[in-house]
Amino acid sequence: MSTLRLRSAVISVLTPILLVTGFVASGVATAAPTVATPAPFTPAELVGPYASDVPSSGTYIPVLDGFAGLRRDRPDIIASNLQKVKGINNSATRAQQADAISINYDDRLVSLSDALGDRLGTVFRQLLAAGKLPKVDALAGGDTARAGLPLGTTLLEKQYYDNPRPFVVAPNSIKKYNKPGGDLYSDLANNGSYPSGHANMAYWKGALLAYWLPELGPQIIARAGEIGRSRMVLGVHYPLDVMGGRIMGTDIAAARLADPRFARLVEQAGAQLRTQLGRSVGMPLDDFIARDTPYLTTQQAVTEHRGMMTYGFPVVSPGQRNAIPASAAALLRSRFPRLTDAQRLDILRRTAIRSGYPLDQSGRNGGWLRIDLAAAYAVSP
């Protein structure tokens, strides 16, 4: 299918969905007559269409296709992939199990909000639940969030790779953790594992939330990594699935922020978020964050996230060379507003991991795996 035909098909499917979403958002905005509620996006603003709605290749398979080479040529890495998830699943603490179960059933945006700190995270969740952040909710809330539609869901990619999940491959070695009455495992038994949808959403939603609250960028990105890791705790994903989800999620967020028209929506949502948070806490956000109990220190967040980027895999292509994609510079515009995109890209280069780890690729589809947003956000302005 040509790119033009694909875009036309996407628009025809997306338009009625987003019109409904827009009208629902409008209804929420009038649900509390005694309190002024911020305005949502209009249906036209949500529908677009936007240049970033469809990746240049039509799907995200090209940036994820390092997996095909590993399955073909590196049985040792694929075997290690299974052994690693067995170890994480079998050794999970009760706290990790409980967190993984909650993450499975919560919206990723809600799971990410833990990273905002004890009190600010609570305020954020209260505002979101009360419909006071309609623009944030429209772009990043739920499985049908606009920033992830129409092709950011991993559904096409999972079907293409059709990789069986760990608990299916090794049923006697994976422990199952679930809430009473939950049917998590039966729901996923016939659904491919690569890439992880939870990790994908965690990273593109996390990149947007970090963009809106750059003061807490390292913590938010580390929490995105924890959400990915939680899928291994449950035994429903492998490390490579999570790493692939990070690749895809980072690409999605960068594309949205590099798209000038869509980026305006992101900026509006961020302004609404910061205004509502500031009003709720009654002081400048910087002051409130400084007094709050942090989820992690900046150094803890950077260290933790770096460890979750490769999960102990060795470099498999020592001579590989690639560049950090230029569009990724947009991810740091709110953190470093006075720098040029070239300077922001240099920060991403300086904080990146080396090339050649599993899933990293050469050429135009490579470099996404290397981006360490937690470390980049921690760089002093």
Side-chain angles (χ1 to χ4, degrees), residues 86 165-176:
K86 286 180 183 179
R165 293 178 183 263
F167 72 92
V168 173
V169 171
N172 296 324
S173 302
I174 296 293
K175 298 178 181 179
K176 294 183 177 180

Side-chain angles (χ1 to χ4, degrees), residues 45 105 132 136 149 168 217 244 246 254 285 361 378:
E45 287 175 315
Y105 293 101
K132 300 296 180 63
V136 169
L149 289 178
V168 173
R246 176 164 57 81
L285 278 182
Q361 301 184 79

Side-chain angles (χ1 to χ4, degrees), residues 59-70:
T59 72
Y60 290 94
I61 289 170
V63 297
L64 294 167
D65 214 31
F67 187 62
L70 293 173

